[in-house]
Amino acid sequence: MAPSKRTSDYVKSDLDHVIHPVGIIGDESDVVFTGGRGIMLQDTEGREYIDGTAGAANVNVGHGRTEIAEAAMAQMKELAFYVIFRNMSHTAVVDCAEKLDELTPEGLSRFFFCSGGSEAVETALKFTRFYWRNQGTNKFKVIGLYEGYHGTTFGAISAGAMGKGRNSKGFEPLVPGFLHIPRYYCYRCGFGLSYPECQTHCARYLEEVIKSEGPDSVAAFIAEPAQGGGGMIPPPPEYWPIVREICTRYNVLLIADEVITGFGRTGKLFALEHWGVKPDIMTMAKGITSGYLPLGAVAVTDEIHQGLKTPGSPLPHLLTYSGHPACCAAGVKNMEILVEEGMTENAARVGEYLQNQARGLGELPLVGDVSGIGLMCGIELVADKATRKPLDQPAKVLQKVLVRCREKGLLLRTFGDRIGISPPLPITTGEVDRLIDILGPVLAGLEAE
């Protein structure tokens, strides 16, 4: 669709009226988009870009899928909205729950719906404390990972611990009762160890913290199966089986934040399937509708579901848009597309190709670590490869990467000193080559400076 105004008019109006998430207030917009098809986006000047980020790692099925828009529109023509408070329901939310039950790991068959990832995490945290209160215990502490990202509501910020207060600075004090342990980033091990000689100490350390805090006070451990906002970082293969065993042994709930990793991004429908691990609670969003409408969900086991019941009293948690009919309809159609078109399988196959091609960039002097899983890939830039010395001004250097890639028609994201690649799942090997052919020379050019 052609823009109705000049780019300069959109930029000025945007500056006058729109407050951008994680934007610098007062800065003009860099680009204004008008449309998208597949893995490509178009701006008001008619320029095209490879969407190397799938929006925010959420446009899993790609841009321009009119079937999803038509499903939402058809639902709105019949029932645009009604609440599902107490025991009321509607056909769209039931259909969505049934579809989720087909796709989620066996045993996670009860779903609470919300509008996005932060709400899903907030709900999971509230469910955790409410569940243990109903068991007559005082378990309330939640353990998360440093550099974990779970959203930006107060509970979600508290559960994560992004470096240099990236999400929490200026919002303190945070919610009490949250602790953090080093993450599973072998390139920069928080314990100064080397894999595999470390025997995956980052996972085993969870037991030490639970014992130190007292198992009777620790309610849950929460983490992303592979870190997204922390830089697109996968764990060692032994990590999650060890964590699952520890949580089971000490009666601690395991919350898997699959908001980014879910719905095919890692080459499995849900990332924990790579390691054969089932959580007690699982959060989902992003790929559930591929961003076409806001929707999130929390899946719980039957045991947790039973533990949330209080005879004669309602569950004291609600969201107006829980189970929004149009969003649920979009979710069902999106999930059908994911399965019928084999997008998870494509993410596994092309994801392996992406990881191999990206590792080739490791020969460049500024590239320290390249790691990822499926269509999640992170590249850390360093000042010195031999010593792994970090960049002196990572924000300045990484901004150059973003701008220069965008000028050449490639959109990427950065996380601290890491570049993030997370394209839509239908990407082809040829499109991966185009992406790398842009990124490689940009990184090489930085070294020349």
Side-chain angles (χ1 to χ4, degrees):
M1 180 181 296
S4 60
K5 296 183 290 213
R6 294 178 302 176
T7 299
S8 58
D9 295 329
Y10 281 109
V11 170
K12 182 182 183 304
S13 187
D14 180 274
L15 184 62
D16 289 344
H17 303 296
V18 181
I19 299 174
H20 289 264
V22 295
I24 298 175
I25 295 177
D27 276 11
E28 286 188 349
S29 296
D30 296 315
V31 61
V32 181
F33 296 109
T34 60
R37 290 292 182 274
I39 73 161
M40 303 301 294
L41 289 168
Q42 187 176 62
D43 70 10
T44 48
E45 297 294 307
R47 293 186 294 254
E48 288 196 325
Y49 306 83
I50 298 172
D51 183 2
T53 69
N58 64 329
V59 188
N60 286 17
V61 301
H63 301 281
R65 299 302 302 246
T66 56
E67 311 98 300
I68 301 176
E70 290 164 356
M73 181 175 67
Q75 176 60 50
M76 284 188 275
K77 286 182 177 180
E78 297 298 323
L79 177 66
F81 174 74
Y82 201 71
V83 296
I84 57 169
F85 293 175
R86 296 188 182 272
N87 296 324
M88 291 182 288
S89 193
H90 52 70
T91 56
V93 73
V94 174
D95 290 343
C96 193
E98 288 180 347
K99 192 64 181 178
L100 277 175
D101 186 34
E102 292 178 17
L103 302 186
T104 51
E106 185 177 355
L108 292 167
S109 58
R110 309 283 186 158
F111 307 98
F112 182 94
F113 291 94
C114 53
S115 299
S118 294
E119 282 188 357
V121 169
E122 204 77 14
T123 296
L125 296 172
K126 290 181 69 177
F127 279 8
T128 295
R129 288 188 173 176
F130 192 74
Y131 169 84
W132 286 119
R133 292 296 186 278
N134 272 0
Q135 310 311 304
T137 77
N138 192 37
K139 292 163 78 78
F140 70 97
K141 297 174 185 175
V142 176
I143 301 172
L145 297 181
Y146 288 115
E147 297 298 334
Y149 178 77
H150 302 291
T152 56
T153 54
F154 267 109
I157 294 174
S158 303
M162 300 297 285
K164 300 179 181 178
R166 282 186 300 189
N167 289 329
S168 60
K169 189 175 182 180
F171 300 116
E172 302 91 345
L174 300 182
V175 180
F178 289 86
L179 304 93
H180 304 93
I181 61 177
R183 60 176 171 165
Y184 44 71
Y185 186 22
C186 296
Y187 184 73
R188 296 198 181 279
C189 176
F191 299 97
L193 303 174
S194 297
Y195 179 82
E197 292 77 17
C198 64
Q199 297 184 337
T200 322
H201 183 66
C202 54
R204 301 182 192 282
Y205 186 67
L206 174 62
E207 180 177 16
E208 295 183 31
V209 175
I210 292 173
K211 290 167 67 175
S212 174
E213 294 294 324
D216 58 344
S217 71
V218 178
F221 172 71
I222 182 171
E224 305 152 274
Q227 285 198 317
M232 304 292 179
I233 298 169
E238 306 91 346
Y239 184 87
W240 279 107
I242 292 172
V243 164
R244 174 69 273 184
E245 191 279 326
I246 291 171
C247 288
T248 301
R249 188 174 352 133
Y250 290 97
N251 203 21
V252 170
L253 300 185
L254 175 54
I255 305 173
D257 184 350
E258 292 259 16
V259 168
I260 287 179
T261 54
F263 300 98
R265 175 140 307 275
T266 68
K268 296 284 187 181
L269 271 170
F270 296 94
L272 280 187
E273 294 175 10
H274 285 284
W275 305 286
V277 169
K278 187 181 78 175
D280 302 292
I281 301 175
M282 186 169 77
T283 61
M284 301 167 281
K286 292 189 183 287
I288 194 172
T289 63
S290 289
Y292 281 70
L293 281 175
L295 184 66
V298 179
V300 301
T301 62
D302 286 341
E303 179 182 349
I304 300 301
H305 182 253
Q306 289 296 320
L308 294 175
K309 294 180 180 179
T310 304
S313 299
L315 178 68
H317 179 63
L318 63 89
L319 298 164
T320 297
Y321 293 119
S322 177
H324 190 288
C327 300
C328 286
V332 170
K333 178 54 66 174
N334 172 74
M335 288 185 274
E336 289 175 354
I337 291 171
L338 274 171
V339 173
E340 292 169 4
E341 299 188 12
M343 291 194 181
T344 299
E345 293 78 8
N346 190 69
R349 181 177 61 85
V350 181
E352 182 178 1
Y353 184 78
L354 169 64
Q355 302 301 332
N356 289 334
Q357 296 302 96
R359 280 194 289 272
L361 300 176
E363 299 176 2
L364 296 172
L366 284 179
V367 176
D369 176 67
V370 180
S371 56
I373 182 171
L375 290 175
M376 294 176 65
C377 182
I379 302 171
E380 180 173 335
L381 302 187
V382 295
D384 187 290
K385 287 176 74 94
T387 64
R388 302 186 182 183
K389 178 184 177 183
L391 295 171
D392 293 329
Q393 295 180 300
K396 183 178 179 180
V397 175
L398 271 293
Q399 183 62 21
K400 285 184 179 181
V401 174
L402 293 186
V403 171
R404 293 176 186 180
C405 284
R406 187 171 67 239
E407 289 172 348
K408 296 177 182 295
L410 171 63
L411 302 172
L412 296 174
R413 295 176 71 191
T414 60
F415 306 92
D417 51 10
R418 289 177 68 86
I419 300 162
I421 305 172
S422 57
L425 306 193
I427 191 171
T428 65
T429 55
E431 289 165 335
V432 168
D433 288 338
R434 289 172 58 193
L435 187 157
I436 297 296
D437 286 345
I438 293 173
L439 177 57
V442 168
L443 297 180
L446 289 175
E447 177 63 21
E449 296 175 8

